[in-house]
Amino acid sequence: MTGKAHVSVGASVFVFLSQRLPGKYVLISLAFSVLGALLPDADHPKSFFNKYVLPFRNNATKVIFYCFLGILVLYIDNFYKGYPILKVLGIVLILLGLSTHRTGFTHSVFGMIIFTGILTTFCTAYNLEKAYYYFLASYASHLICDMCTKQGIP
């Protein structure tokens, strides 16, 4: 599926859940929903997300960029106070750089749990009640949609 198809599925999940979940952060919830729909494909160098982040769209650039970002986050975490969320984010960025498309951890339940945990910590810190549910549901819908394609998910 393309990035546009995943964004439309994520927006549909948002519309479906916005009537059922309490909360007053509509734009933030929509942004989390779109992010959850796009994040599993972040390990592909030509994904919708990496089109705007990577200077060159090939696998070597993706590995160097995300590993450097992960090491930088771990260095900043070590240099300053040492927040646990920064350690997890640094490790996830390194894993994202080393991950391959559809066989890596982003297209798995493990990746969904890790990314949702990071976002839950962010939502708790900024008092965004239940906004991470939109991210979780959109991430799950991405995995379900990819299961329905010919390539599937291993």
Side-chain angles (χ1 to χ4, degrees), residues 118-136:
I118 292 171
L119 197 68
T120 302
T121 305
F122 175 80
C123 290
T124 304
Y126 290 102
N127 201 19
L128 300 171
E129 300 173 10
K130 296 184 174 59
Y132 57 90
Y133 287 141
Y134 295 97
F135 176 84
L136 177 64

Side-chain angles (χ1 to χ4, degrees), residues 75-153:
Y75 176 75
I76 290 171
D77 177 58
N78 190 30
F79 188 68
Y80 291 108
K81 292 285 182 189
Y83 298 109
I85 191 69
L86 288 178
K87 286 181 180 59
V88 172
L89 183 64
I91 292 169
V92 165
L93 284 170
I94 292 171
L95 286 175
L96 189 64
L98 299 175
S99 179
T100 58
H101 188 60
R102 292 206 183 186
T103 57
F105 87 103
T106 60
H107 277 83
S108 67
V109 176
F110 176 68
M112 183 173 65
I113 291 169
I114 293 293
F115 284 122
T116 305
I118 292 171
L119 197 68
T120 302
T121 305
F122 175 80
C123 290
T124 304
Y126 290 102
N127 201 19
L128 300 171
E129 300 173 10
K130 296 184 174 59
Y132 57 90
Y133 287 141
Y134 295 97
F135 176 84
L136 177 64
S138 293
Y139 202 107
S141 71
H142 181 113
L143 297 180
I144 291 169
C145 288
D146 277 351
M147 283 181 200
C148 296
T149 62
K150 288 181 183 179
Q151 295 171 342
I153 296 175

Side-chain angles (χ1 to χ4, degrees), residues 17-70:
L17 289 178
S18 64
Q19 302 298 322
R20 288 160 180 77
L21 287 177
K24 52 187 177 248
Y25 307 106
V26 176
L27 290 176
I28 293 174
S29 299
L30 177 62
F32 285 166
S33 187
V34 169
L35 180 68
L38 290 176
L39 195 59
D41 283 336
D43 59 357
H44 192 277
K46 295 183 181 178
S47 70
F48 187 80
F49 181 71
N50 284 331
K51 189 180 346 179
Y52 300 105
V53 174
L54 296 178
F56 305 106
R57 289 179 211 98
N58 59 26
N59 198 33
T61 307
K62 179 196 72 123
V63 170
I64 292 169
F65 179 79
Y66 284 114
C67 287
F68 173 75
L69 214 65

